[in-house]
Amino acid sequence: MPFKIGYSSIKMNNPDLSKALGQMREIGWEGWEARSPLDWLGTPSRVRRICEEEGMPIAVVTGAGISLDNDWAMKERNKRRIDFAAEVEADNFMFMGAGRTPTPTSDEDITALAALSDELADYASQYNLDVCYHIHTLTTIDSREDWEQLMAKMKTCKLCIDVSHSVFWGYDPIASLKDFQDRLIYVHLQDWLRYTWVELGEGELVDVPACLKTLDEIGYDRWVVTCPGDTQRTEEEKMKINREYLRSIGY
C-alpha cells in the first residue's frame, strides 16, 4: 500500500488540536486534513509543533470562499492559506469551486475557474507546494461534462477526486481514478445512504475496496483521506469506525 491514510477534520468545530490529533494517531490514522480558520489554528510554528508532538502530519490545508469574479481580496485570502500550508509543511493545498447558481455553468465560468486554479497553483509553486481542485457537487463544476471541460482548460493545477461525487455524476469512480491518474494528487473517501453522509462500510453508494484496489494498481502514492459522516456519534467514535472499516478490507 504505497498511499497514506488520513482523516478529515471537516466536522470538527473549534477542535482541541492536541487532543484531536492524539486520538487520530492512537486510532491509527497517519495524518489529517486541516479545515479550521487560521485564527483558530494559530501560527504555523504552533501547528507544526503540535503535529510533530503527536506524530500527525498535515495532508492538506483547504481554501475558502472561491468566486469567479477575479476578486483581489478572495485571491489574497487563499494565497495566505497557501503560505500557511507551505509553512506547516502540508502535502498540498486544496479548494473547491464557487457555490452553484440557478443558471447553468457556462464555458466562461469554467474558463474563469481554470484560470483561478492555475493562478493559485503558480503562486504555490514558489514553495514547491502542489494545489489541487476538489470536485464537488453543487459547485461550479457539477457534472461529468463540466469536469472534463475543466480538466482540458486547467494546465498546472492538480486534482482531488472524491469518489462519491464521481458516482453522483454517473461517472464510475474507478474509471475516473484511472482517467485522471496523471493529475491525481489527493483522494477523498466518504459514503452515502438514504440522503445522509455515513461512515465507511455503512453506505451503498461507493465500492470502497474496489476504489482502493484501483489506487494500488495505478501506483498512487499520495494521501487518501476519509471524511466522516453526519451520523449521531462523537468524533472519536467516527474516527474508530472508519479506521476499523479500512483495516477490515486490508488498509
Side-chain angles (χ1 to χ4, degrees), residues 216-235:
D216 279 331
E217 290 172 349
I218 66 176
Y220 178 77
D221 61 359
R222 303 287 283 265
W223 283 96
V224 176
V225 169
T226 295
C227 295
D230 289 326
T231 55
Q232 298 301 308
R233 298 183 173 108
T234 67
E235 197 65 40

Side-chain angles (χ1 to χ4, degrees), residues 141-149 169-172 175 179:
I141 302 304
D142 200 14
S143 70
R144 175 175 178 171
E145 293 72 25
D146 291 346
W147 184 8
E148 290 172 336
Q149 288 183 48
W169 294 334
Y171 195 169
D172 178 70
D179 290 347

Side-chain angles (χ1 to χ4, degrees), residues 159-217:
L159 179 66
C160 165
I161 293 180
D162 183 316
V163 290
S164 63
H165 294 288
S166 293
V167 179
F168 283 142
W169 294 334
Y171 195 169
D172 178 70
I174 294 171
S176 73
L177 293 170
K178 291 179 177 178
D179 290 347
F180 296 119
Q181 61 183 286
D182 292 342
R183 305 283 289 278
L184 183 67
I185 66 165
Y186 200 62
V187 176
H188 263 175
L189 296 179
Q190 57 182 338
D191 212 345
W192 179 262
L193 180 67
R194 293 192 290 273
Y195 305 101
T196 301
W197 294 111
V198 293
E199 315 311 333
L200 298 182
E202 298 178 342
E204 298 177 341
L205 186 70
V206 177
D207 187 340
V208 175
C211 290
L212 295 181
K213 181 181 178 182
T214 298
L215 293 176
D216 279 331
E217 290 172 349

Side-chain angles (χ1 to χ4, degrees), residues 8-212:
S8 175
S9 66
I10 187 170
K11 304 296 183 182
M12 297 181 187
N13 294 318
N14 300 334
D16 178 331
L17 195 56
S18 295
K19 178 180 178 181
L21 296 188
Q23 289 172 336
M24 289 182 201
R25 173 180 44 75
E26 290 171 3
I27 289 165
W29 299 99
E30 298 177 86
W32 66 294
E33 178 180 286
R35 291 262 185 170
S36 299
L38 300 190
D39 63 354
W40 182 261
L41 290 173
T43 65
S45 61
R46 173 184 183 270
V47 174
R48 195 167 56 245
R49 173 181 54 79
I50 295 172
C51 290
E52 290 171 355
E53 289 173 351
E54 300 299 339
M56 288 293 293
I58 297 181
V60 74
V61 171
T62 61
I66 296 298
S67 63
L68 303 180
D69 55 2
N70 203 36
D71 179 66
W72 178 84
M74 174 273 297
K75 292 192 288 187
E76 285 297 301
R77 281 192 296 271
N78 279 281
K79 288 175 181 177
R80 297 297 77 76
R81 291 186 71 88
I82 289 173
D83 297 338
F84 183 90
E87 289 201 39
V88 297
E89 301 175 351
D91 183 69
N92 69 86
F93 174 82
M94 178 188 79
F95 71 101
M96 299 188 300
R100 196 76 168 88
T101 64
T103 57
T105 299
S106 66
D107 183 70
E108 290 76 14
D109 292 334
I110 298 174
T111 298
L113 179 58
L116 173 62
S117 303
D118 287 342
E119 180 178 345
L120 295 178
D122 292 344
Y123 178 82
S125 67
Q126 66 183 299
Y127 303 118
N128 293 317
L129 177 72
D130 285 327
V131 170
C132 61
Y133 178 80
H134 172 23
I135 63 156
H136 202 289
T137 53
L138 302 179
T139 64
T140 307
I141 302 304
D142 200 14
S143 70
R144 175 175 178 171
E145 293 72 25
D146 291 346
W147 184 8
E148 290 172 336
Q149 288 183 48
L150 177 69
M151 299 308 294
K153 293 174 182 288
M154 205 165 63
K155 303 305 180 185
T156 55
C157 188
K158 306 298 184 181
L159 179 66
C160 165
I161 293 180
D162 183 316
V163 290
S164 63
H165 294 288
S166 293
V167 179
F168 283 142
W169 294 334
Y171 195 169
D172 178 70
I174 294 171
S176 73
L177 293 170
K178 291 179 177 178
D179 290 347
F180 296 119
Q181 61 183 286
D182 292 342
R183 305 283 289 278
L184 183 67
I185 66 165
Y186 200 62
V187 176
H188 263 175
L189 296 179
Q190 57 182 338
D191 212 345
W192 179 262
L193 180 67
R194 293 192 290 273
Y195 305 101
T196 301
W197 294 111
V198 293
E199 315 311 333
L200 298 182
E202 298 178 342
E204 298 177 341
L205 186 70
V206 177
D207 187 340
V208 175
C211 290
L212 295 181

